[in-house]
Amino acid sequence: MKQKLNIGLFGFGCVGKGLYDVLEHTHGLKANIARICVKDKNKERPVPASYFTFDKYEILNDETINVIVELIDDADAAFEIVSYALRKGKAVVSANKKMIAEHFEELLELQKQFDVPFLYEGAACASIPVIRNLEEYYDNDLLNSIEGIVNGSTNFILTKMYNEGKDYAEVLAEAQQLGFAESNPALDVEGFDARYKLSLLAAHAFGLFIKPDQIFKYGINNISDSDIRYAKEKGFKIKLVAHARKIGKSLGIWVIPRFIPANHALYNIDFEYNGVSVEGVFSDKQFFSGKGAGSFPTASAVLSDISAISYHYQYEYKKTQQEASLNYEPNILMKLYCRFPSSIPVSSLPFESIEQSFNSPELNYVIGNVNLDTLNSSRLLDRDDVFFIQAGDEVDIRNTNEFVEESEVFEIAF
Ligand code: HSE
């Protein structure tokens, strides 16, 4: 039977306000926002002041409130709120990918111990119902891989740079104005946000809880016009791609900008849209796309979680029982393009083998094979005059030595 929901909302920013509006227009769901906890006492808000409190315990200790919706920015404060609420036996909905990825196992324990639902569809790919699909539809399917564009801001920036030749800083400011970017946009452009989301997706796809800082990530903050020009010349787009792939008993997992050819499912996923491709042993490939950032797209996922709570839905983390022997493997060999200044000798680039190199007064690049674990400790990752892009689908997981070629391998005609 559907439960009547009395919501205590934390945060009234882009998504919180979006949820308020979405609930106003939603009929059929017996849910209402009872109180809203916010930080800033002086901000003007388009809702009666009687809704607001500045004391979290007024909501957390209110026995009439049975659902907490946590939509604040600060991951540490969010964890305090969420863990307190779960201990009080309240159902919780959150969209805080950083908080969830960093405390995954503790949150899982709390759900089990207090037998309460904790749902977070809005935390990964906003409007795309990817977590619930992984949990329910693919509950028994053996998945080989999940990959996609999972950050709307970086996709928006890359699209505008590619289509309109706009400057990186200018389009980043636009992504912030539109409410796509995190309040600290370094989380988007340096790949942290994509890594948090990938950690969530990997847990539901493969049952493996990988700490975000174990996942290799490289963002788009060092991209230059010459990389965009190069991609255009070759008929590629550049997208920031999050990828988790099972090879034998190992799981390789990484976030890196990648050249995307025109026949690839991610090629036409532009602006703030996200796209996720799931590949199963029997089902083969499926592709999901939708808006991955913004007030209403994220609020729609939060609304769906609230609705799911009204019929007592909980994640079961089914894959954690099924994939017990899967191991995380950081030694991934892949083909990368590296643009670098002529002051850096090619021999000091972290390549295991080089297939091509090009030098001109405007552009120097090499293409070759790199071990991501080696690259991870290279100081070149932090240099703003160097940029790495994945230049092919083939990956090799070092310790199994099994070479994988995807079904849709594309030719790179450099
Ligand atoms: N900053 C995030 C993004 C918001 O751009 O994808 C949605 O999680």
Side-chain angles (χ1 to χ4, degrees), residues 340-345 364 383 385:
F340 60 101
S342 51
S343 55
I344 299 180
N364 299 307
R383 283 187 62 146
D385 53 359

Side-chain angles (χ1 to χ4, degrees), residues 15 70-72 93-102 104 107 118-132 149-152 182 188 192-201 204 274 276 291-294 297-303 305 315:
V15 184
E70 179 283 304
L71 300 172
I72 66 171
V93 175
S94 169
N96 200 319
K97 50 260 161 154
K98 181 174 194 283
M99 182 272 290
I100 302 163
E102 283 176 348
F104 225 143
L107 290 166
F118 173 51
L119 306 181
Y120 41 82
E121 189 63 72
C125 305
S127 72
I128 309 176
V130 61
I131 294 177
R132 221 165 321 147
I149 297 168
V150 300
N151 179 272
E182 300 299 300
D188 296 293
F192 289 98
D193 180 79
R195 172 157 93 169
Y196 299 136
K197 290 168 177 166
L198 184 58
S199 152
L200 268 54
L201 296 179
H204 289 277
N274 285 182
V276 180
K291 286 193 173 171
T298 314
S300 79
V302 173
L303 178 76
D305 280 349
Y315 300 139

